[in-house]
Amino acid sequence: MNLIFIRQRDNYVTEVLNIMNKIRKIKVTLKSRPTFEGAGVRLKRAFGYADSSLDPFLLLDDFHSDDPRDYIAGFPWHPHRGIETITYMLHGNVEHGDSLGNGGVIEAGDIQWMTAGSGIIHQEMPKKNNKDTLLWGFQLWANLPASHKMMDPRYRDIKESQIPEISLDDNKVKVKIISGILNGVKGPVQDIITDPEYLDVTISPNSEFIHPIGEGYNVFAYVIEGEAYFDDNKEELVRKETLVIYRDGDVVKINTDKEKVRFLLVSGKPLKERVAWRGPIVMNTDEELRIAFEEYQNGTFIKYQKEVIA
Ligand code: FE2
């Protein structure tokens, strides 16, 4: 410790931080890529592959357009099994309905956390508003462990008013807590197997956000707007529509310069299981995939018929 005390103050602070916490370094930054999905929705995919440093997360799509031709075709009836889909709307509305009889509209600021489990057939249809055509939202897919792939499906519809927002560091940092806990404030989505943390973070210019991440947990950030340095190397100002994948460590440290930044920060406990993935169904083996598609064809896909309303 003596060595630390003879350093300059700035170095001292950094040094103490480094000793107390291992700051996660950026593994890679990736621009999201234009993709067509559903019945012809034009979106940007931040990731959509099994990277071990993203496990348990499988996919992140960014829908962002003010041209209804880009999204109005929507995602008509389709199945899911073995995963959770988490839809977060920033602007516009998405109407949904499912094989269990649930239905409703996900509005700006709302979250829909859908656990497909053993199987659900649903549709997700963006609605057109002639006065305000902007549609902006995200869909994240989280994998389920083998032990829960065939659990009963469930929906959690969370309204914007249920999502707590906390201010840190004299209002320089604002965090909406969708899932997880920050400064003793718990997000509304709880009891999820992979223990995910899902935060929507805004940092003012010339400010800093340091946040602990569970040991061994994987974490990524996805920049919505503005720019920031996402680790203490400060080599790259990361800008909108860019994914930041982190290496292991204890905390993430994000610094802004002249601009503010807004980003999603998502972490979870890796499953470290084999992934067998085809389209909307993600299982552990090819045989489980074959059975799932066979059941979908012959009408025995849905295992849980009772109405489930969160
Ligand atoms: Fe879906």
Side-chain angles (χ1 to χ4, degrees), residues 41-43 62-75 87-95 106-108 124-129 132-138:
V41 176
R42 195 186 290 265
L43 52 84
D62 177 354
F63 317 84
H64 190 184
S65 175
D66 58 7
D67 183 347
R69 288 173 299 181
D70 287 344
Y71 58 75
I72 204 67
F75 303 88
T87 307
Y88 180 29
M89 295 306 297
L90 298 185
H91 207 99
N93 299 321
V94 173
E95 206 162 32
I106 315 169
E107 298 177 325
E124 302 153 297
M125 304 301 287
K127 285 174 75 180
K128 190 177 166 187
N129 180 330
D132 180 0
T133 56
L134 178 63
L135 185 88
W136 196 4
F138 306 95

Side-chain angles (χ1 to χ4, degrees), residues 263-278:
F263 57 96
L264 306 177
L265 186 68
V266 182
S267 64
K269 188 176 176 183
L271 299 176
K272 298 179 182 173
E273 291 180 355
R274 193 176 156 208
V275 174
W277 182 355
R278 196 190 315 162

Side-chain angles (χ1 to χ4, degrees), residues 46-57:
F47 63 90
Y49 52 87
D51 179 310
S52 62
S53 51
L54 289 165
D55 177 17
F57 305 106

